[in-house]
Amino acid sequence: MNKPFVADTHFKNEKFHQNPLAKADYEECVFEGCQFQNGYLDNQNFVDCTFKDCDLSNTNVANTIWNNVQFESCKLVGVSFDKSETTFLTIAFSQCNLTLAIFYELSLQKTDFSGCNLSQADFTSTDLTSSNFTDCNLDNTLFQNSILDKADLSNAFNFNINPEINSLKKTKFSKEELIGLLKKYDIVIV
């Protein structure tokens, strides 16, 4: 069954948590101030779309395609991006709340997370090569078997990354936050 095709459409202040977004292929659409929380965006296709000031908290995104999708100042608490279709997965985040978001085993090379709250997010076994975490809150964020080679964590804060179980080749850190690489050793720095 072919889905409808929706292009160049601006959705503003829609309440999709009450009336779900129609299953379709969305291309070059903008979703601004829309409410999706606790709803369903599963089995959707988004290409070259932008979400601004939207609430997608706890939204089901199973089998959804995110191809060149931007999230700006959105609330994405608890979203399981690991359930999304991974074939064309290219996403970027700016000033978003991604608390408890799950990115387990995804390939997110060169992904922008600048200025995001990633508290308690899960990046287990995620390839984050050359990704940008500038000015991110990484409080209790889980990095295990993650690839952070060439990633930018300058000015990222509250992180606790074990260099023994993560790849950190040429990763950028600010001097002030290097303690986040030593927490596992339970040492005191004065």
Side-chain angles (χ1 to χ4, degrees):
M1 179 175 143
N2 289 336
K3 292 187 218 176
F5 180 73
V6 180
D8 300 311
T9 303
H10 191 138
F11 299 89
K12 189 165 185 176
N13 299 323
E14 299 282 341
K15 298 188 183 325
F16 293 116
H17 63 294
Q18 294 172 345
N19 299 307
L21 182 68
K23 301 278 188 219
D25 292 326
Y26 294 90
E27 187 171 313
E28 295 185 11
C29 292
V30 175
F31 298 87
E32 185 176 359
C34 295
Q35 305 295 311
F36 297 93
Q37 66 269 28
N38 300 309
Y40 296 90
L41 282 180
D42 57 315
N43 299 295
Q44 300 278 29
N45 296 340
F46 296 100
V47 178
D48 298 324
C49 291
T50 302
F51 291 79
K52 296 179 183 178
D53 301 308
C54 293
D55 188 347
L56 293 95
S57 296
N58 298 310
T59 299
N60 180 340
V61 296
N63 305 309
T64 294
I65 293 174
W66 307 102
N67 186 352
N68 194 31
V69 175
Q70 309 280 323
F71 295 94
E72 301 170 6
S73 301
C74 290
K75 188 174 179 185
L76 298 136
V77 174
V79 175
S80 294
F81 285 98
D82 63 320
K83 305 292 186 208
S84 298
E85 175 58 46
T86 59
T87 307
F88 300 105
L89 183 64
T90 47
I91 47 182
F93 305 93
S94 175
Q95 305 296 319
C96 292
N97 183 350
L98 288 153
T99 300
L100 298 167
I102 301 172
F103 299 96
Y104 178 73
E105 290 188 335
L106 292 178
S107 178
L108 296 175
Q109 297 178 6
K110 299 180 182 176
T111 299
D112 186 12
F113 293 97
S114 58
C116 291
N117 180 359
L118 288 155
S119 297
Q120 301 178 59
D122 185 353
F123 289 104
T124 301
S125 300
T126 303
D127 185 351
L128 296 158
T129 302
S130 299
S131 290
N132 180 13
F133 290 93
T134 303
D135 298 321
C136 287
N137 180 4
L138 300 171
D139 188 35
N140 290 313
T141 301
L142 186 58
F143 293 100
Q144 282 187 318
N145 301 316
S146 304
I147 302 171
L148 288 156
D149 298 344
K150 299 180 185 175
D152 187 350
L153 280 87
S154 59
N155 299 318
F157 53 96
N158 295 329
F159 61 85
N160 183 0
I161 300 173
N162 183 344
E164 294 176 10
I165 60 171
N166 294 287
S167 182
L168 300 171
K169 293 179 181 120
K170 301 200 184 281
T171 305
K172 295 179 190 172
F173 296 96
S174 63
K175 292 177 191 175
E176 296 78 20
E177 297 296 332
L178 284 177
I179 188 70
L181 297 174
L182 304 172
K183 287 182 181 176
K184 85 169 228 104
Y185 301 109
D186 198 24
I187 60 176
V188 178
I189 297 176
V190 291

